[in-house]
C-alpha cells in the first residue's frame, strides 16, 4: 500500500481503453489499496481510476462521504474491478474537476441515476445503485477506464473553465 503520483493530462495511459482485470490476486489487491491511499491523501479527491496511477486496468476507488456536505444516500468507500454500467437515467449539467486535469474544470452533462456492477477487491460481485453527485462521480471514473476525460465530455469551449490555482480543501476532484 502506497500513495502514488497521479498522472496528468496529456498522457497516453489516460487516453487508452483500460484492460479487463478478471480474477483478482495480490497485485490487484495492492492496486486497490494504492487507489484508496492515493485518493484519501489527495485534497478534494473523491475518486480515482487505475489509469490515473499509470495502470491500464479497469478499476477505480470512490468515496463521496469525504465531502464537506456528503450527498444523501451515498455508499461510502466503493472499490470496484471491471465495473460495468447497467442502467443510466436522467440528465444534469454540473461542474467537474479531475485530478489528472488540474488546470481546468468543466461543465459536463451526466445521468442522475446509475446502476453499476463490478467485483470488490475481495472477489465478490457487487451491484450498486447511485444517484446525484455519487452517480456523477461513478460516470467520471467509468470514463477514465475508456480513455475519456472531462475535456472530452464538454459540449463547447464555453463549458471549460481555467483554474487559477490548484484544488484546495472543499473542492472535489476525481
Ligand atoms: Co478524473
Amino acid at each position: 500500500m502506497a500513495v502514488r503520483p497521479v498522472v496528468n493530462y496529456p498522457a497516453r495511459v489516460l487516453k487508452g481503453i483500460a484492460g479487463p482485470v478478471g480474477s483478482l490476486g495480490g497485485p490487484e489487491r495492492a492496486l486497490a489499496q494504492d487507489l484508496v491511499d492515493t485518493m484519501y491523501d489527495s485534497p478534494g479527491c473523491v475518486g480515482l481510476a487505475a489509469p490515473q496511477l499509470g495502470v491500464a486496468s479497469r478499476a477505480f476507488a470512490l468515496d463521496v462521504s469525504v465531502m464537506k456536505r456528503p450527498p444523501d444516500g451515498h455508499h461510502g468507500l466503493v472499490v470496484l474491478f471491471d465495473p460495468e454500467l447497467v442502467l443510466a437515467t436522467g440528465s444534469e449539467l454540473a461542474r467537474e474537476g479531475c485530478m489528472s486535469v488540474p488546470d481546468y474544470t468543466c461543465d459536463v452533462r451526466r445521468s442522475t441515476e446509475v446502476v453499476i456492477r463490478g467485483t470488490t477487491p475481495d472477489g465478490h460481485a457487487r451491484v450498486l445503485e447511485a444517484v446525484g453527485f455519487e452517480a456523477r462521480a461513478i460516470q467520471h471514473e467509468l470514463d477514465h477506464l475508456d480513455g475519456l476525460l472531462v475535456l472530452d465530455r464538454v459540449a463547447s469551449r464555453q463549458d471549460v473553465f481555467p483554474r487559477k490555482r490548484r484544488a484546495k480543501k472543499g473542492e472535489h476532484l476525481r
Side-chain angles (χ1 to χ4, degrees):
M1 53 181 162
V3 174
R4 290 164 60 170
V6 174
V7 176
N8 278 359
Y9 170 88
R12 193 175 296 275
V13 70
L14 295 174
K15 295 307 298 169
I17 308 287
V21 176
S23 61
L24 304 182
E28 289 74 26
R29 277 188 287 276
L31 170 63
Q33 195 58 54
D34 289 353
L35 284 168
V36 172
D37 291 344
T38 306
M39 175 176 72
Y40 286 145
D41 185 67
S42 308
C45 184
V46 296
L48 206 59
Q52 294 180 279
L53 295 185
V55 180
S57 296
R58 304 189 78 80
F60 72 74
L62 183 99
D63 189 351
V64 300
S65 75
V66 302
M67 295 171 70
K68 203 171 176 184
R69 284 187 298 165
D72 290 339
H74 69 75
H75 294 83
L77 177 63
V78 175
V79 183
L80 285 180
F81 287 89
D82 296 329
E84 286 176 50
L85 191 63
V86 179
L87 204 72
T89 57
S91 177
E92 188 176 59
L93 189 71
R95 193 68 58 90
E96 287 185 24
C98 178
M99 293 289 293
S100 295
V101 188
D103 297 330
Y104 298 95
T105 59
C106 297
D107 276 347
V108 179
R109 185 163 292 282
R110 303 279 191 192
S111 296
T112 52
E113 297 173 36
V114 298
V115 178
I116 58 166
R117 67 175 169 221
T119 307
T120 64
D122 50 10
H124 295 118
R126 184 175 186 192
V127 176
L128 196 135
E129 226 179 304
V131 300
F133 186 88
E134 188 177 48
R136 171 172 294 276
I138 285 170
Q139 291 166 82
H140 179 115
E141 301 314 328
L142 291 175
D143 266 1
H144 272 302
L145 307 184
D146 290 327
L148 294 171
L149 301 169
V150 285
L151 293 168
D152 300 304
R153 286 294 194 186
V154 295
S156 78
R157 62 185 300 168
Q158 276 69 45
D159 294 326
V160 181
F161 304 88
R163 199 199 282 279
K164 293 195 179 66
R165 44 172 178 69
R166 295 299 164 97
K168 60 174 187 184
K169 238 179 150 53
E171 290 178 311
H172 305 292
L173 305 175
R174 50 280 205 201

